[in-house]
Amino acid sequence: MGDPIVEDLNPEQREAVLYGEGPLMVLAGAGSGKTRVITRRIARLMRDGVPGHQVLALTFTNKAAGEMARRVEQLGGARVQVSTFHSACARFLRQDGEILGYPRDYSIYDTYDRDAVLKMLMAEHKLDKDGVKPTQVGRRLSHLKNLGVKPDELVVGFSPVDRIVERLWGPYQALLMKLGALDFDDLIQRFLDLLVEHPAVAERYQARFRWLLVDEFQDTNRVQYDLLKRLVGPDRNITVVGDPDQSIYRFRGAEVRNILDFQADFDGTQVVRLEQNYRSTQTILRAAEGVISNNEQRLDKRLRTENDEGDSIRVDRSHSPQQEAREIGRRIQALLDEGVDPTEIAVFYRSHYLSRGIEEAFRELALPYQVVGGLSFFERREIKDLLSYVRVLVNPLDDVGMERIINVPPRGIGRVTLDKLRSISAMQGMSLIEVVCDPDSRAGLPPKVRKALGDLADVFDRARALSSSSVQETIRCIVDGVGYAAALDASDPEDQARIENIAELFNDMSVFDQEIGGGAAGYLEHVSLMTSEERDAEDRPRASMMSIHAAKGLEFDHVFVAGLEEGLFPSARSVEEPGGLEEERRLMYVALTRARRSLWLGWSQERMVAGTTQRQARSSFLSELPKDCVAGASASSDDGGEWDEDPWEDSYDRGGSRAGSSGGWRGSGQRSRGGAEEFEVSQEFEASYDEFSQDEQELVVGTRVIHAVYGRGTVMRTAGRGMQAKATVAFDRGGERVLLLEYAGLRVLPGGRE
């Protein structure tokens, strides 16, 4: 009779499960069965006599921990400690935190509690006057703690946030100690401190947990890795399972160097590569390998599969995001007509705000969908806030909407003031907005409150004058007037996503004004009907929409990826950040390897940004796809021009435009809107100038160039090489712009080279 723990494993999986003592690194490619390997290894250890209490398995979510423990039990193993890093450290500090001066029943402060303490300290130290929010200070503290920085190691920064962090870090930690509390980030750091400062305690834990196993090791931050090195005993029985090609959480502090440096830190490490993929077609895997092979920060492995060759990957270009969304919807409808289960279909995007247009197209086609890992666009907090402003403007009796936004963003209207306003409203038979807008009604309130309400009333007065004609101008007046976007911190990923969502709301309102009309009242009705349709579809099997970050760990038969454009994916920020472009490429790899059977990649040649249409360039990642993986055909446009030939690229759309082309538009009179001014892309631009190629020439400072959107300009600076080569160009009519040369489509003017 075979061994049930290993009999259905491939040779590499079996090697990892049966490996004996010493450090082991399992490089688990996408879809290669890593969870199966780590749980089978735990079950095998216990079957061979290792007591369950000597095994500590660590992962990153409670859901993953529960699933691992369940699988081990199903294999006949006893219960083992499978925990997240934070929950394990919290439990250990309950046992030994008294050594550091913490009570056994210490409190764990979440981010809300943390920020409340910081707010109190900022007021006490008179640091709350320069516009810095406690949440900004808290996020900065969290980031530094995850890097392993200590209060006395902090290098003074120049920003107001950094200066406050330097002043308050020590007092903050002292106050937490006095309160018998730890914040979430302290759980790991303080347990690490315990092991470092008390070697005897470290030896006790090393003896207690002779076997360490870590899932998703590529997602560990520096503090977590330092903790593991302290927990590993003299036997060095540590198993880490992960994939540097799927390290996509740098914004949370994940450090891809941990898995890249593991062999150097643990001499004699056995490396097992899980390269057999059980998920995707051969075509999808070749495409994913073609993209990720451009990264330098990786460990070599090659995915293989016994699955079918599969269909070619579809790469489509659209004229607009609306056309892109409709094409996705049309293709999904065709899949549903063929009997495909909606739950086997997913649409991915790099940023959450891109979901708005796709959701609208799905509603038009009555396609069932759900937004995974986030709210539907019109259910997001910032969108509901701004729509509440519009609701109150249209319907002054809407006290529910008014209560939502009366102190959003914060303007000093607390619970006591709101109760007074409610009393005035009840006594005078007025709505809350009528009280706010009536100077006599608010006369008895404190001066600061009267001023804040007066300023709000002025915003409503200005917005009311615009509300019947343009909902976009109405919301712009509100956002600028109350400082909604200005109150957000663009350096914080969550706030940046809110800023992007607000910009997308502007775009949607602009389209509504142009194509439907009806002012603020009409737009509210439009949105209300859309959201009610969503609720009606809640009980049906649905396709999934999600960010690519949310898709990690999932898989679907059919995957669609939208918005593959430079500046969107890869993101504009990634080009400027060290290692940023490689992380974006890993994100692309994750997106590709979620697909089992079919994969569609789309981009739009124009996209609306803050109400104006800008010309887009296709993502550089599309150029990295192997040509034999992508459907190839040519097509002509139906609006008077034709596209330069690029044989490998796909064609599709109902308008006849071809999928991503490096060639340019040759129709006369075509306009590309990039701001207040419009630059006409003439036949002269396409026919008379040479497109810059780094393979053929060097672009030097002083060269005169022309760009399809910004027009003529002069090269001021150059930097970088290869795909990362950039030029700063001072355009005659558009100021300075930093452009990636490989994708900018710059053309050198005749005689323009020095």
Side-chain angles (χ1 to χ4, degrees), residues 352-535:
H352 281 291
Y353 76 90
L354 294 175
S355 73
R356 198 273 310 163
I358 303 171
E359 288 185 68
E360 185 171 334
F362 275 38
R363 285 189 292 263
E364 289 177 357
L365 294 169
L367 297 176
Y369 75 92
Q370 61 178 342
V371 178
V372 177
L375 296 170
S376 176
F377 183 81
F378 290 103
E379 295 299 319
R380 294 167 193 167
R381 187 187 77 187
E382 59 277 9
I383 303 304
K384 294 187 76 170
D385 286 346
L386 294 177
L387 290 182
S388 290
Y389 273 100
V390 180
R391 280 171 46 197
V392 172
L393 195 66
V394 170
N395 176 18
L397 299 178
D398 188 352
D399 282 356
V400 173
M402 188 63 190
E403 288 197 20
R404 180 184 179 96
I405 51 88
I406 196 166
N407 197 45
V408 178
R411 53 177 67 91
I413 311 299
R415 179 59 53 189
V416 173
T417 300
L418 183 56
D419 287 342
K420 289 180 180 178
L421 292 173
R422 288 197 191 102
S423 297
I424 296 170
S425 170
M427 287 188 297
Q428 298 188 8
M430 302 168 68
S431 67
L432 284 177
I433 183 61
E434 290 172 329
V435 172
V436 168
C437 293
D438 179 21
D440 293 335
S441 297
R442 58 178 190 258
L445 298 172
K448 287 182 65 174
V449 173
R450 289 203 306 272
K451 183 181 185 311
L453 295 177
D455 291 344
L456 180 59
D458 290 342
V459 172
F460 274 115
D461 285 341
R462 293 196 301 273
R464 191 173 292 109
L466 301 166
S467 62
S468 62
S469 56
S470 169
V471 66
Q472 185 199 28
E473 291 306 315
T474 301
I475 202 66
R476 191 184 302 278
C477 175
I478 290 170
V479 170
D480 293 344
V482 302
Y484 193 98
L488 299 172
D489 178 9
S491 66
D492 174 68
E494 291 185 5
D495 276 5
Q496 178 59 34
R498 293 187 178 102
I499 292 170
E500 292 172 348
N501 286 336
I502 293 170
E504 185 62 18
L505 181 65
F506 279 14
N507 296 340
D508 189 49
M509 289 178 167
S510 175
V511 172
F512 178 85
D513 284 337
Q514 295 172 21
E515 298 183 0
I516 300 175
Y523 186 76
L524 288 176
E525 181 178 337
H526 171 70
V527 170
S528 177
L529 291 174
M530 289 194 298
T531 53
S532 66
E533 289 171 4
E534 278 182 24
R535 289 190 292 270

Side-chain angles (χ1 to χ4, degrees), residues 96-341:
D96 293 301
E98 289 177 318
I99 299 173
L100 296 177
Y102 291 98
R104 284 182 176 270
D105 57 349
Y106 68 84
S107 299
I108 299 175
Y109 280 9
D110 60 17
T111 55
Y112 179 86
D113 299 321
R114 176 199 69 192
D115 295 344
V117 172
L118 287 169
K119 182 178 181 180
M120 180 173 61
L121 287 172
M122 288 171 67
E124 180 182 325
H125 289 260
K126 297 182 171 53
L127 297 172
D128 56 349
K129 308 298 183 185
D130 57 359
V132 175
K133 296 182 291 185
T135 53
Q136 294 173 275
V137 179
R139 284 193 292 259
R140 181 68 171 144
L141 269 176
S142 176
H143 176 69
L144 291 169
K145 288 181 179 183
N146 287 325
L147 293 177
V149 177
K150 300 293 184 63
D152 56 353
E153 298 171 348
L154 181 63
V155 178
V156 178
F158 293 102
S159 74
V161 173
D162 285 331
R163 290 199 297 270
I164 293 175
V165 167
E166 184 190 34
R167 286 278 306 276
L168 293 187
W169 195 342
Y172 170 76
Q173 295 300 145
L175 181 54
L176 288 190
M177 176 69 77
K178 180 181 177 182
L179 296 170
L182 292 162
D183 69 23
F184 201 62
D185 300 304
D186 284 334
L187 293 173
I188 299 176
Q189 181 63 67
R190 294 303 281 151
F191 182 59
L192 174 59
D193 291 342
L194 177 66
L195 301 184
V196 172
E197 296 168 12
H198 301 273
V201 176
E203 291 176 7
R204 174 157 51 86
Y205 276 94
Q206 290 167 4
R208 177 179 174 185
F209 298 114
R210 291 193 58 243
W211 298 86
L212 284 178
L213 300 99
V214 186
D215 191 23
E216 302 288 5
F217 181 64
Q218 78 280 347
D219 293 337
T220 54
N221 62 35
R222 197 70 227 176
V223 176
Q224 290 163 339
Y225 189 30
D226 289 343
L227 174 65
L228 291 172
K229 287 190 284 188
R230 291 284 175 173
L231 279 174
V232 175
D235 295 333
R236 302 191 310 151
N237 291 329
I238 180 171
T239 298
V240 298
V241 182
D243 182 3
D245 292 337
Q246 297 186 71
S247 179
I248 59 172
Y249 294 119
R250 186 172 58 164
F251 66 95
R252 296 179 185 169
E255 177 53 74
V256 70
R257 293 302 321 174
N258 294 346
I259 194 168
L260 298 178
D261 293 343
F262 186 82
Q263 288 173 269
D265 292 336
F266 291 90
D267 186 45
T269 294
Q270 175 73 15
V271 178
V272 177
R273 290 173 168 83
L274 304 185
E275 300 175 312
Q276 178 74 37
N277 177 281
Y278 295 94
R279 177 187 300 159
S280 305
T281 65
Q282 295 179 30
T283 297
I284 290 171
L285 289 187
R286 283 204 313 278
E289 289 287 338
V291 171
I292 200 62
S293 64
N294 290 278
N295 269 6
E296 295 181 1
Q297 293 191 71
R298 64 188 304 259
L299 298 172
D300 185 54
K301 59 176 171 54
R302 293 283 176 180
L303 290 179
R304 65 182 187 275
T305 185
E306 297 176 2
N307 293 338
D308 294 338
E309 178 73 14
D311 296 334
S312 296
I313 294 170
R314 193 84 179 179
V315 178
D316 283 354
R317 173 174 57 187
S318 304
H319 291 305
S320 66
Q322 292 83 5
Q323 186 183 51
E324 177 186 56
R326 286 194 296 269
E327 181 64 15
I328 293 172
R330 185 183 71 82
R331 290 180 178 273
I332 289 178
Q333 183 62 67
L335 290 172
L336 297 179
D337 291 344
E338 293 171 6
V340 172
D341 184 344

